[in-house]
C-alpha cells in the first residue's frame, strides 16, 4: 500500500553526543586497557558505521574488577543508607540531565527508534535509580527483618535490547542495598554503560563500587564463575541462563535470571478492536520485537479473526521503518547481523512449515540490518514460529474458541514471562489472569513498565523479580 | 575599612505562604520575634482566623492535583525541595541559629538533618503503598486490593521548640502521601518556617499544597480544629491543654487526630507512623468470574 502521507525527514541531532574513538574498561574508578590489549569495534546497526573501539575484557580483567569491587564493598556497605541514597539520587538526576545525549547514544549503538529511547528507555532509567535510591535508607521497612545485609560483589550480565535500562535494573537495587557491582554490557551495545561510568564519576561515586567490563560471552562467563562473586544477575537468552545455573551449582552464589519469552496476547471477541490493534502492535513491534516480554503469539477469538487481522494489516501498513534517529520512525534497525540472520532463519522456517507469511510493502534501507514487520497467520501450536522465541518483529497469529482454550494455548509454552488480555469484561480479565502461568499480565494494555512494579518470569523465563519492593530480595542476604 | 562595611543591609519582610503566594495577614497584625537572647529579629505576621480559613481553601483547592499526581512526581518534587534547601543552607543555618540559640555548627547539623529528611520522604512517596496496601486473599472468587489514599487537608500544629527540623519532620510526611497542609508555625520562632515557604515556592510544589501561617496556635487552632473542610490535624506542637481542646473540636467532623508525641530527638529515624496517620485505606472488590463460556459474571 502506498503511503498516504510523505514525511519530511526529522532527524534528532547527533551533535548532542560526543563519542570518543576508543574506550577502556572502567575498573576501580579509572578507564584502563584490557590486560591483553584486545579491543573490538561497535557499529551502528542502522548504517554499519563504526562508532567506537572498546576494550575487550578477558579473565584477568574480570579478576581485577572483582577485586576492585570487593575492596570497595567494605566501605560502601558500611555507609549509612541515607548516604548511599544520596549517591543514587545524584545518579538519577544526572541521568535526567543527560537524557537526550544518552537517548541519541543508545539509538546510535542499538538501532532502536529515538522516540523509544527518548520517551521510554531514558525516563525509565532515571526513574529506576530514583526509586531504588529511596529504598537505600528504608531497608528495615522492606519486610525482610531488621537490618538486612547486602550479599557482597554482584556480577551482572545484561543484554543488548535495552542496554541502559537493563543496567539500571541491575545496578540501582544492587547499590541501594549496599552491594558493589561488576557489570558486563552486551558486545553489540557497550557504549551507554561506558557513558554511565562517566556519570558515576560525576556523581562522585566511590571508586570500585561500579565497574564496567565491555566484552564478549567469555568475559561474562568468567564473571559469573569468579569465586569471589556473591551474586549473579543475568538477563538474556534461556540457553545461556541454563548454562549459568549449571555453572554456579554447588556454590553459595545467589542468582536471578531474566530470560526468554513467548508472550501470548489474547484478544476476546468483545475487545475494542482499535485499542487492541494498538496494543498488539506495541506488543510485538516495540523495539523491533527484540523484547523478552514481547507479545509474539497473538491468540484471537475465532469469531473476530478476520476483522482483527484486517485492522492489524491496515495498521502495519502505516508503520514507518527507517532511520532510527528520525523522530517519526516506528521501526528501527535489528541490533546485529547475527540477530538478523536468526530472525530471517526462523521466519523462513515458519514459511516452510506452512504458515502464511505477510508483510506490508516496506522498503528496507540498503545499509544496516533490517527486517520488515512480519505476520504469520494460520499458525498452529506445533509450528516453530509459535514455540521458539524469535526476538524480532514477527507476530504469529493463532485462534481459539473458548476462554479455556485461550488459557491452555497461552500456557502451552516453555516460557512464562508475559501475557496480554483484551476484553471489556473485568471478571474475564481476572479469571484468565488467574490461570495464566506468566510473571506479568497486562490487561487492555501491553509493555508497561514501572520501577515500582515487579517484573520476571515463570518457568523457563527465569526466576527472581526486578522492580518494586520485591526487587530488593535479589540483592539482600535474606 | 572598606566602604562596603558601612553598607546598610536590607531587612526581609517575613510574610505568610498561602496558595503559593506570600500575603501579609489580612488582619494587618504583626508580632515581634526575638532571638534566644531577646534581640529583635523581625515582625512576623500575626495570622487571624480569616487567614486560617483562606489557607484551608487553598489547601482544598490544591488537593485534587496533588493527590492525583503520580507518586513518582511527588517524590521528585520533595527531592527538589531538598535540592533548593541545600542551596540556601547558609541562610537557614543563620535563621535556625538565631531562632533556637544554636552555635553555627549545631545549627548546620539541624539544617542538614532537615534536608536529609526531605530526601527520606521523597523516597517514601512511591513505596508506602507496597508497605501498607496489597492484595487480600479473600475466601471467594474476588480480586481484592487495598491501597492507601491521602486523607485530605491536614492542619499541622508545628513543634514549638524545633522550629525547622521539627517543622520539616511534620510537614514532609503529610504531603509525601498526597495530603495538603495548613501549618501553624512555631509561635516563638516562626522565621525558619516562613523562609521555608520561599523554598517550597521554588521547588515545583504546586501552590496550596503547603500553607504556612505564623501566629498563635491557641488563636487559630480552635478554628482549624473545628473547620468542616479539614480532614485531619497533627497536634505535634500543641501543649496538653490546647491539644485536648483541639481534639474535642476535631471530633465534630471526625478528623483524624495525631496526638502530640514525645519527641526527644527529631534526628531519630521517623519510621512510617507520621505518614500512616493521615492515610485512608481503600479496598476494591471485583469478581474474578470463571473461565467457562457462560460461567463468568461481572
Amino acid at each position: 500500500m502506498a503511503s498516504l502521507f510523505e514525511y519530511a525527514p526529522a532527524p534528532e541531532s547527533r551533535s548532542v553526543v560526543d563519542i570518543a574513538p576508543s574506550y577502556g574498561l572502567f575498573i576501580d574508578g579509572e578507564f584502563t586497557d584490557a590486560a591483553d590489549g584486545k579491543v573490538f569495534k561497535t557499529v551502528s546497526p542502522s548504517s554499519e558505521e563504526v562508532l567506537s573501539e572498546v576494550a575487550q575484557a578477558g579473565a584477568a580483567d574480570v579478576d581485577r574488577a572483582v577485586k576492585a569491587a570487593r575492596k570497595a564493598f567494605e566501605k560502601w556497605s558500611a555507609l549509612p543508607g541515607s548516604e548511599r541514597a544520596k549517591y543514587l539520587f545524584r545518579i538519577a538526576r544526572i541521568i535526567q540531565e543527560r537524557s537526550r545525549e544518552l537517548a541519541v547514544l543508545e539509538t546510535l549503538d542499538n538501532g532502536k527508534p529515538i522516540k523509544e529511547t527518548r520517551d521510554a528507555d531514558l525516563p525509565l532509567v532515571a526513574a529506576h535509580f530514583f526509586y531504588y535510591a529511596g529504598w537505600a535508607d528504608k531497608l528495615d521497612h522492606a519486610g525482610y527483618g531488621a537490618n538486612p545485609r547486602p550479599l557482597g560483589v554482584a556480577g551482572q550480565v545484561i543484554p543488548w535490547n535495552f542496554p541502559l535500562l537493563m543496567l539500571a535494573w541491575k545496578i540501582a537495587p544492587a547499590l541501594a542495598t549496599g552491594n558493589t557491582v561488576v557489570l558486563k554490557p552486551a558486545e553489540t551495545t557497550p557504549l551507554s554503560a561506558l557513558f554511565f561510568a562517566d556519570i558515576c564519576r560525576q556523581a562522585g561515586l566511590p571508586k570500585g563500587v561500579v565497574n564496567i567490563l565491555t566484552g564478549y560471552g567469555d568475559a561474562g562467563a568468567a564473571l559469573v564463575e569468579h569465586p569471589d562473586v556473591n551474586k549473579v544477575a543475568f538477563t538474556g537468552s534461556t540457553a545461556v541462563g541454563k548454562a549459568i545455573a549449571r555453572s554456579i551449582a554447588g556454590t553459595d552464589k545467589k542468582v536471578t535470571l531474566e530470560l526468554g519469552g513467548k508472550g501470548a496476547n489474547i484478544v476476546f471477541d468483545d475487545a475494542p478492536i482499535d485499542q487492541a490493534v494498538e496494543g498488539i502492535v506495541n506488543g510485538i513491534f516495540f523495539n523491533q520485537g527484540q523484547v523478552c516480554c514481547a507479545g509474539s503469539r497473538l491468540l484471537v477469538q475465532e469469531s473476530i479473526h478476520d476483522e482483527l487481522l484486517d485492522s492489524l494489516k491496515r495498521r502495519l501498513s502505516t508503520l514507518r521503518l527507517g532511520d532510527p534517529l528520525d523522530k517519526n520512525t516506528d521501526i528501527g534497525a535489528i541490533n546485529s547481523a547475527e540477530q538478523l540472520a536468526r530472525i530471517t532463519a526462523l521466519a523462513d522456517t515458519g514459511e516452510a512449515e506452512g504458515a502464511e507469511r505477510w508483510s506490508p510493502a516496506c522498503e528496507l534501507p540498503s545499509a544496516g540490518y533490517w527486517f520488515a514487520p512480519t505476520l504469520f497467520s494460520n499458525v498452529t501450536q506445533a509450528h516453530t514460529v509459535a514455540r521458539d522465541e524469535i526476538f524480532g518483529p514477527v507476530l504469529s497469529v493463532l485462534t481459539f474458541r473458548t476462554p479455556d482454550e485461550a488459557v491452555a494455548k497461552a500456557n502451552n509454552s516453555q516460557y512464562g514471562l508475559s501475557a496480554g488480555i483484551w476484553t471489556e469484561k473485568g471478571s474475564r480479565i481476572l479469571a484468565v489472569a488467574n490461570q495464566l502461568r506468566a510473571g506479568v499480565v497486562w490487561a487492555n494494555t501491553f509493555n508497561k513498565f514501572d520501577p515500582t512494579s515487579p517484573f520476571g518470569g515463570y518457568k523457563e523465563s527465569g526466576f527472581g523479580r526486578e522492580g518494586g519492593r520485591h526487587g530488593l530480595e535479589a540483592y539482600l542476604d535474606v | 575599612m572598606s566602604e562596603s562595611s558601612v553598607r546598610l543591609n536590607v531587612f526581609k519582610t517575613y510574610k505568610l505562604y498561602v496558595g503559593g503566594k506570600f500575603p501579609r495577614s489580612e488582619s494587618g497584625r504583626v508580632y515581634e520575634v526575638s532571638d534566644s537572647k531577646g534581640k529583635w529579629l523581625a515582625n512576623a505576621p500575626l495570622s487571624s482566623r480569616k487567614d486560617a480559613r483562606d489557607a484551608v481553601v487553598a489547601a482544598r483547592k490544591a488537593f485534587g492535583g496533588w493527590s492525583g499526581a503520580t507518586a513518582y512526581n511527588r517524590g521528585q518534587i520533595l527531592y527538589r525541595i531538598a535540592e533548593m534547601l541545600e542551596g540556601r543552607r547558609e541562610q537557614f543555618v543563620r535563621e535556625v541559629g538565631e531562632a533556637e540559640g544554636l552555635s553555627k555548627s549545631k545549627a548546620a547539623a539541624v539544617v542538614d538533618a532537615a534536608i536529609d529528611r526531605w530526601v527520606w520522604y521523597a523516597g517514601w512517596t512511591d513505596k508506602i503503598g507496597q508497605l501498607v496496601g496489597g492484595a487480600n486473599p479473600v475466601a471467594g472468587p474476588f480480586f481484592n486490593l487495598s491501597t492507601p489514599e491521602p486523607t485530605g487537608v491536614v492542619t499541622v500544629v508545628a513543634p514549638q521548640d524545633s522550629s525547622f527540623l521539627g517543622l520539616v519532620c511534620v510537614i514532609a510526611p503529610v504531603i509525601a502521601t498526597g495530603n495538603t497542609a495548613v501549618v501553624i508555625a512555631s509561635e516563638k520562632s516562626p522565621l525558619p518556617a516562613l523562609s521555608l515557604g520561599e523554598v517550597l515556592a521554588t521547588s515545583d510544589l504546586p501552590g496550596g499544597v503547603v500553607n504556612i501561617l505564623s501566629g498563635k496556635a491557641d488563636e487559630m487552632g480552635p478554628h482549624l480544629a473545628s473547620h468542616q473542610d479539614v480532614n485531619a490535624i497533627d497536634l505535634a506542637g500543641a501543649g496538653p491543654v490546647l491539644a485536648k481542646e483541639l481534639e474535642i473540636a476535631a471530633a465534630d467532623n471526625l478528623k483524624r487526630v495525631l496526638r502530640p508525641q514525645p519527641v526527644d530527638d527529631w534526628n531519630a529515624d521517623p519510621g512510617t507512623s507520621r505518614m500512616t496517620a493521615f492515610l485512608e485505606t481503600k479496598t476494591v472488590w471485583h469478581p474474578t468470574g470463571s473461565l467457562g463460556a457462560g460461567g463468568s459474571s461481572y
Side-chain angles (χ1 to χ4, degrees):
Chain A
M1 190 168 93
S3 180
L4 280 174
F5 303 100
E6 290 304 326
Y7 288 71
E12 178 71 48
S13 171
R14 276 182 70 154
S15 64
V16 69
V17 57
D18 187 11
I19 302 174
S22 68
Y23 288 95
L25 309 169
F26 186 67
I27 299 174
D28 207 15
E30 305 293 336
F31 283 102
T32 73
D33 293 337
D36 58 10
K38 279 192 185 168
V39 295
F40 64 101
K41 291 178 167 53
T42 183
V43 304
S44 180
S46 64
S47 63
E48 298 172 64
E49 168 202 354
V50 174
L51 294 171
S52 187
E53 196 173 73
V54 299
Q56 182 180 336
D61 304 302
V62 168
D63 191 54
R64 205 150 50 99
V66 172
K67 283 200 170 82
R70 173 62 56 195
K71 200 173 91 204
F73 174 67
E74 195 181 336
K75 276 192 183 161
W76 180 250
S77 60
L79 270 186
S82 56
E83 298 302 295
R84 283 202 309 273
K86 285 192 279 186
Y87 280 114
L88 289 167
F89 278 120
R90 281 186 186 178
I91 289 172
R93 288 304 224 194
I94 295 171
I95 289 169
Q96 287 179 325
E97 286 159 9
R98 297 179 61 176
S99 71
R100 187 56 56 89
E101 171 195 3
L102 294 166
V104 172
L105 176 74
E106 196 84 310
T107 284
L108 284 170
D109 205 19
N110 169 281
K112 64 169 73 186
I114 185 72
K115 76 171 180 187
E116 292 184 10
T117 52
R118 185 194 60 200
D119 298 344
D121 294 64
L122 263 298
L124 284 168
V125 170
H128 215 82
F129 275 100
F130 201 89
Y131 176 76
Y132 278 106
W135 269 123
D137 54 3
K138 301 176 180 65
L139 298 175
D140 284 348
H141 298 276
Y144 302 105
N147 196 23
R149 304 307 304 156
L151 295 162
V153 175
Q156 307 177 317
V157 179
I158 59 170
W160 44 260
N161 58 342
F162 296 93
L164 200 55
L165 182 58
M166 292 302 103
L167 174 150
W169 283 24
K170 297 284 178 283
I171 291 183
L175 298 196
T177 46
N179 300 276
T180 55
V181 307
V182 179
L183 176 130
K184 191 197 87 67
E187 62 268 24
T188 59
T189 53
L191 293 181
S192 53
L194 294 167
F195 275 56
F196 179 78
D198 186 51
I199 289 171
C200 292
R201 295 214 292 200
Q202 286 187 337
L205 194 71
K207 289 178 178 188
V209 172
V210 167
N211 304 276
I212 309 280
L213 299 178
T214 47
Y216 285 79
D218 61 316
L223 176 57
V224 164
E225 287 165 17
H226 194 287
D228 205 28
V229 161
N230 306 100
K231 155 77 189 180
V232 172
F234 173 74
T235 295
S237 74
T238 290
V240 174
K242 288 179 180 180
I244 288 173
R246 287 183 198 107
S247 77
I248 60 157
T251 70
D252 289 333
K253 291 174 187 175
K254 193 163 179 172
V255 65
T256 40
L257 301 170
E258 206 273 88
L259 309 175
K262 191 73 186 176
N265 207 354
I266 306 168
V267 184
F268 287 96
D269 58 6
D270 66 340
I273 295 290
D274 289 348
Q275 194 186 331
V277 164
E278 289 307 309
I280 294 161
V281 169
N282 173 269
I284 185 61
F285 299 115
F286 178 61
N287 198 17
Q288 295 72 246
Q290 302 168 129
V291 182
C292 48
C293 55
S296 51
R297 283 184 299 154
L298 178 63
L299 300 180
V300 192
Q301 198 149 21
E302 210 173 81
S303 53
I304 57 162
H305 173 269
D306 294 351
E307 183 192 356
L308 183 75
L309 238 59
D310 285 348
S311 289
L312 185 57
K313 286 178 176 174
R314 216 163 35 237
R315 180 66 181 91
L316 292 189
S317 304
T318 67
L319 291 178
R320 297 176 56 79
L321 178 147
D323 180 8
L325 276 177
D326 193 303
K327 295 164 194 168
N328 291 318
T329 291
D330 300 306
I331 311 273
I334 301 302
N335 182 249
S336 65
E338 188 190 353
Q339 184 58 21
L340 178 61
R342 180 177 157 76
I343 297 168
T344 306
L346 279 164
D348 291 347
T349 303
E351 211 172 341
E353 288 178 354
E356 204 172 297
R357 179 173 182 165
W358 181 89
S359 288
C362 182
E363 201 180 320
L364 302 183
S366 51
Y369 319 126
W370 304 90
F371 199 86
T374 299
L375 189 152
F376 279 104
S377 49
N378 283 329
V379 175
T380 73
Q381 296 185 85
H383 282 128
T384 302
V385 292
R387 295 196 324 266
D388 288 12
E389 181 179 44
I390 297 173
F391 224 64
V394 181
L395 178 66
S396 301
V397 185
L398 297 87
T399 60
F400 69 89
R401 287 184 180 176
T402 66
D404 276 318
E405 188 187 348
V407 167
K409 283 184 170 168
N411 286 338
N412 183 17
S413 169
Q414 72 185 102
Y415 299 113
L417 188 52
S418 75
I421 306 169
W422 298 82
T423 168
E424 290 281 77
K425 191 160 175 161
S427 57
R428 182 180 285 148
I429 289 171
L430 295 166
V432 172
N434 275 353
Q435 299 294 319
L436 291 174
R437 303 286 293 166
V440 185
V441 178
W442 287 292
N444 294 330
T445 186
F446 211 92
N447 273 342
K448 289 286 175 285
F449 307 96
D450 192 278
T452 68
S453 178
F455 182 95
Y458 282 34
K459 298 193 277 187
E460 292 185 20
S461 290
F463 44 72
R465 292 294 178 268
E466 296 181 288
R469 187 180 64 78
H470 305 72
L472 294 168
E473 187 188 346
Y475 291 95
L476 289 172
D477 185 15
V478 290
Chain B
M1 289 187 96
S2 68
E3 278 188 39
S4 64
S5 65
V6 298
R7 177 186 169 274
L8 194 64
N9 61 350
V10 177
F11 285 173
K12 177 164 98 183
T13 305
Y14 284 88
K15 300 204 280 185
L16 307 177
Y17 181 55
V18 176
K21 295 190 163 63
F22 296 95
R24 295 186 169 86
S25 170
E26 63 80 36
S27 66
R29 302 179 303 174
V30 293
Y31 68 109
E32 287 194 10
V33 176
S34 313
D35 68 10
S36 56
K37 297 191 180 80
K39 181 176 148 257
W40 179 85
L41 289 172
N43 297 319
L46 182 62
S47 304
S48 66
R49 64 183 190 179
K50 176 70 166 73
D51 292 319
R53 284 204 300 272
D54 289 348
V56 173
V57 170
R60 175 59 62 196
K61 197 169 158 194
F63 179 69
W66 183 242
S67 61
T70 63
Y72 176 46
N73 186 227
R74 286 200 304 270
Q76 294 203 81
I77 289 172
L78 264 60
Y79 185 75
R80 184 74 177 158
I81 296 171
E83 289 182 337
M84 293 296 100
L85 263 184
E86 186 88 40
R88 294 230 214 174
R89 192 171 169 275
E90 295 311 313
Q91 174 196 340
F92 280 93
V93 169
R94 178 173 49 77
E95 288 184 333
V96 169
E98 287 171 349
E100 300 180 18
L102 300 177
S103 68
K104 197 173 176 191
S105 64
K106 282 190 175 154
V110 165
V111 172
D112 289 346
I115 295 169
D116 288 0
R117 192 50 44 89
W118 281 111
V119 175
W120 157 266
Y121 281 112
W124 268 121
T125 59
D126 55 8
K127 298 177 184 65
I128 188 75
Q130 283 185 337
L131 253 64
V132 301
N136 309 307
V138 294
F142 295 95
F143 166 90
N144 184 287
L145 185 74
S146 293
T147 45
E149 289 193 356
T151 201
V153 174
V154 181
T155 293
V156 177
V157 183
Q160 297 301 326
D161 295 330
S162 185
S163 65
F164 189 60
L165 177 57
L167 173 86
V168 168
C169 287
V170 295
I171 294 178
V174 167
I175 65 169
T177 57
N179 296 291
T180 56
V182 175
V183 182
I184 304 175
S186 162
E187 182 178 338
K188 176 167 62 79
S189 311
L191 302 187
L194 297 176
S195 289
L196 179 66
E198 298 157 17
V199 168
L200 301 179
T202 52
S203 300
D204 303 328
L205 187 75
V209 172
V210 174
N211 304 278
I212 299 172
L213 304 168
S214 55
K216 296 181 185 304
D218 52 11
E219 183 186 357
M220 285 178 281
H223 295 288
L224 289 167
S226 61
H227 196 297
Q228 296 299 299
D229 204 26
V230 171
N231 302 94
I233 186 162
D234 180 348
L235 299 172
V241 176
L242 180 64
K244 183 176 176 185
E245 182 197 339
L246 297 186
E247 188 172 344
I248 291 168
D252 247 12
N253 66 342
L254 292 178
K255 287 182 185 65
R256 285 75 177 117
V257 175
L258 184 60
R259 291 178 176 151
Q261 317 282 316
V263 178
D264 300 329
D265 179 10
W266 287 103
N267 274 298
D269 180 336
T272 58
S273 60
R274 289 198 163 272
M275 286 183 290
T276 54
F278 304 114
L279 287 173
E280 307 293 327
T281 296
K282 178 179 285 173
T283 300
V284 177
W285 293 68
H286 195 293
T288 52
S290 60
L291 278 187
S296 58
S297 57
Y298 276 97

